[in-house]
Amino acid sequence: MIGFGGGSAIDAGKAIAALLTNQGDVFDYLEVIGRGKPLTEQPAPYLAIPTTAGTGAEVTRNAVLASPEHRVKVSLRSPLMLPRVAVVDPELTYRLPPAITAALAWTRSPS
């Protein structure tokens, strides 16, 4: 599974990878509006390629998902959900406004 885009796209990919290998409905695993069951199976292999700065979704172990029906954003959370690989390339942000591209380059540059 590959997630390419901003934080929402990265989180959606993590959720899909997790649900591919864990039986049941997404509501079985969601916090707050779901049953909050833990994932028991390793998610499908997942590669995250962020194209925006700031969310850090490529390095978190959860996926924030919107539920318009409930008018909330909730998490699908598990220590198993960390992407196996994250490709962070500031050049992917060049079509963004300059301030966002600069923020990504600054936050990701080695010290």
Side-chain angles (χ1 to χ4, degrees):
M1 170 63 84
I2 298 173
F4 183 86
S8 294
I10 301 297
D11 282 353
K14 286 190 285 188
I16 292 166
L19 294 171
L20 283 172
T21 58
N22 286 273
Q23 297 207 359
D25 186 88
V26 66
F27 286 99
D28 291 336
Y29 305 101
L30 287 178
E31 298 176 349
V32 182
I33 60 172
R35 294 177 34 202
K37 290 174 36 179
L39 297 176
T40 57
E41 301 298 324
Q42 185 73 31
Y46 181 61
L47 170 80
I49 306 173
T51 60
T52 61
T55 70
E58 71 276 10
V59 294
T60 62
R61 292 172 168 87
N62 71 301
V64 177
L65 304 173
S67 175
E69 174 185 348
H70 297 95
R71 300 176 70 179
V72 296
K73 289 184 178 181
V74 296
S75 284
L76 171 59
R77 186 181 315 268
S78 171
L80 303 174
M81 288 181 60
L82 191 64
R84 291 194 184 175
V85 174
V87 176
V88 180
D89 182 352
E91 289 187 22
L92 294 174
T93 69
Y94 284 178
R95 291 188 178 180
L96 297 173
I100 296 174
T101 300
L104 178 62
W106 180 79
T107 60
R108 304 285 194 235
S109 64
S111 302

